[in-house]
Amino acid sequence: MESAGSYPLWSYQPFRLSYNVYDTLFLTARLPYWIATSAVPSLRPVSQWSFKQTIMSRILRAAFHKMAVIGITETHTLDAGKEGERFEVVQPFPDTDYLGPVAPVAQAKPGAVGGTWYPERFADIKSKTVMLHIHGGAFIWGDGRTACSGFLAQIMQDQAETDAVFSIQYRLSAYEGKNPFPAALQDALTGYLYLVRTLQIPPANIVILGDSSGATIASGLIRYLGEYGSKISPEASILPSCAILTSPMIAPLKTAGSGSLNESPYAQHPNFHTDFVPLSTLRWGWCVYAGNTTTVEAAAQNPYFTPLGHPFATKVPIFISIGRREIFLPDNEEWAAQMQEIPGNSIDFTYEDDALHETLLLGNVLGFEESAKTVAKRIGVFIKKHSEKAEST
C-alpha cells in the first residue's frame, strides 16, 4: 500500500503553486471541448443527461483529481461559524463505550465532535424523528455544515418528511497518520450516543443515514450497535429504527494498492467513464483512512473497514440506493445480495436510474436535483414503514 506517512511532493510549495497553474491551464484548454460535447446528446457519456449534468460531472472529476494529487485534507473547526446556534459540540463518552473495533488506539482516540442541526435544534426533540447524517467525501473532505450537507438535509425534510437532521463532522483522515480508522467510526458512535443518552431521544425515533464513505461508516456503526450495544447499554435496546445507505464505498482493496490505477477493477467497468469519482481520490482516501500501519490485506479483512465480503446479521432494516452509472454499482449489488442471504435481515435495494455517485449530497451541483428528490421520497416511505412497525411493537 502507498505510504500514508508523508505528504506527496505536490503538497509543498512551490510545487503546489506550479501544479495549480498547470492544472488551471489544462482545465481551461479542455473546457471548449467539454462544452461542445456536452451540448450534443449523442456525444454525452449518457445521452439522457442534460448539458449541466454532463459538464459538471467532468469538472468535478477534474477538481477531485487535483485535490488527490495535492493531497491536503480539509481542516475542521469546532467554532459555530455561520451555523450559529444550529451547531453543537459533542464531547466523547467514557472509554468503556468504545469497545472492540472502536477501542482507543494511539492515533485514534475518541474526541469532540461537531454537528449541525437542520432546520434547528427543537426544544421538544424527544418527540421528533431525528436523522443522524454521516456525510460522504472519501474520508478526506466534507462536513455536516450547510455548504456541504445543506442540500441533503433540505430534501430529507421536504421529500422524506424527516423532522430534524443532525449532521456530524467526523474527523477526516490525512497523511502523516492523522485520524486513521477508527477515528471516524468513533465520532459516529459519539454522535449517536449523544442523541440517545444526552438528548434521550428514543432509538426507535432515530434514523441513521450515510452517503458514500459516510455509508461505510454508517454500516460499521450499525454492526457495532448490534455486536456491542448490549454491553454499552444493558438497560435497553440501543438500535435505531432503520438505516439508509446511499452510494456506499465498500471495497478499498480495489484502489488502495500500489499498482497502476489502470489495473483497478474499477477502471475496467463501463461506469468508470460515466461517474465523476476519479480513482486517485479513492486511493488517497482509503490509504490515509487505513493509516500507515495497516496493509491493504488487513483492511480488506476488517469487516468494519470493508463491508464487501463481510455480511452481518442485523435487526436494523437497511435501505440501500445506488446509481446505475456509478463505479460502485457491482460492489453494492454483490454486498446487498450477501446481506439479503442472512436470515432475519431486512434489506431494501434500489437503483437510481441514469444517476452517478452522490446525488443526495451533490445533486444541486451536478444537476441531479430531481433524481435526488425521487430517492428521498423512497427513503421517506421506507422510514415511515419501519417507524409504524416500531410503534406497533
Side-chain angles (χ1 to χ4, degrees):
M1 184 174 67
E2 293 180 345
S3 173
S6 59
Y7 284 88
L9 177 67
W10 300 110
S11 298
Y12 301 96
Q13 299 291 13
F15 305 104
R16 191 196 320 169
L17 177 61
S18 299
Y19 183 80
N20 278 326
V21 172
Y22 159 78
D23 189 75
T24 300
L25 293 174
F26 192 40
L27 176 62
T28 302
R30 285 181 291 177
L31 268 179
Y33 173 76
W34 287 349
I35 292 172
T37 55
S38 298
V40 181
S42 61
L43 298 179
R44 298 168 186 165
V46 180
S47 60
Q48 294 88 343
W49 284 2
S50 68
F51 173 84
K52 179 180 179 180
Q53 290 170 338
T54 304
I55 196 165
M56 287 309 300
S57 67
R58 290 168 171 169
I59 291 174
L60 276 188
R61 188 186 186 100
F64 286 133
H65 176 68
K66 174 183 176 181
M67 291 169 57
V69 170
I70 294 175
I72 298 179
T73 296
E74 286 189 34
T75 300
H76 280 169
T77 175
L78 293 178
D79 294 334
K82 296 180 180 179
E83 282 63 41
E85 295 182 353
R86 294 191 298 117
F87 188 81
E88 283 198 50
V89 177
V90 182
Q91 297 300 324
F93 290 83
D95 284 353
T96 51
D97 291 323
Y98 303 88
L99 306 172
V102 298
V105 295
Q107 292 178 307
K109 298 179 181 180
V113 181
T116 302
W117 284 100
Y118 300 88
E120 60 181 309
R121 163 78 143 75
F122 293 102
D124 59 339
I125 195 69
K126 292 181 185 179
S127 64
K128 304 293 184 180
T129 298
V130 178
M131 178 174 283
L132 175 67
H133 173 228
I134 308 170
H135 69 82
F139 307 105
I140 38 81
W141 68 268
D143 54 43
R145 296 177 186 266
T146 306
C148 175
S149 301
F151 173 73
L152 179 146
Q154 189 63 56
I155 62 172
M156 285 298 106
Q157 294 163 51
D158 294 344
Q159 308 299 325
E161 300 181 356
T162 301
D163 294 328
V165 176
F166 185 60
S167 187
I168 63 169
Q169 56 174 47
Y170 56 85
R171 286 168 291 173
L172 301 176
S173 300
Y175 287 108
E176 296 185 344
K178 296 178 181 177
N179 304 323
F181 176 87
L185 186 52
Q186 290 170 345
D187 292 350
L189 177 60
T190 298
Y192 186 77
L193 292 180
Y194 168 70
L195 299 181
V196 174
R197 287 188 181 166
T198 306
L199 300 186
Q200 297 184 341
I201 301 172
N205 290 359
I206 299 175
V207 177
I208 295 175
L209 165 63
D211 58 273
S212 190
S213 57
T216 309
I217 299 167
S219 170
L221 178 59
I222 298 162
R223 187 171 196 139
Y224 180 83
L225 294 175
E227 292 186 0
Y228 295 90
S230 60
K231 296 180 181 179
I232 65 175
S233 183
E235 67 281 357
S237 172
I238 200 171
L239 298 178
S241 64
C242 59
I244 314 297
L245 308 179
T246 64
S247 302
M249 293 173 58
I250 54 177
L253 187 59
K254 292 187 177 181
T255 57
S258 58
S260 168
L261 289 174
N262 292 329
E263 297 173 359
S264 166
Y266 290 137
Q268 315 309 317
H269 194 274
N271 286 357
F272 173 72
H273 301 287
T274 56
D275 212 343
F276 70 87
V277 183
L279 300 187
S280 55
T281 297
L282 298 180
R283 175 176 286 184
W284 170 31
W286 284 119
C287 179
V288 296
Y289 187 52
N292 59 5
T293 59
T294 305
T295 64
V296 172
E297 290 73 18
Q301 293 305 313
N302 185 331
Y304 285 87
F305 191 99
T306 306
L308 185 62
H310 302 99
F312 59 96
T314 179
K315 296 180 180 179
V316 179
I318 299 176
F319 177 97
I320 304 172
S321 179
I322 190 75
R324 289 190 185 274
R325 302 296 180 172
E326 288 197 49
I327 58 174
F328 298 139
L329 175 64
D331 292 344
N332 279 271
E333 290 176 326
E334 183 179 355
W335 185 62
Q338 293 171 353
M339 291 291 289
Q340 289 169 337
E341 289 176 356
I342 297 180
N345 280 4
S346 176
I347 310 295
D348 281 23
F349 184 78
T350 65
Y351 294 97
E352 189 176 356
D353 289 337
D354 290 326
L356 36 61
H357 190 60
E358 280 280 42
T359 62
L360 277 187
L361 193 71
L362 298 171
N364 57 330
V365 176
L366 288 162
F368 281 85
E369 296 94 332
E370 294 305 314
S371 186
K373 289 178 182 178
T374 298
V375 175
K377 289 178 181 178
R378 294 174 183 169
I379 291 171
V381 172
F382 180 83
I383 292 173
K384 184 178 180 180
K385 178 178 70 174
H386 291 287
S387 295
E388 290 174 348
K389 286 183 178 179
E391 290 175 0
S392 64
T393 56

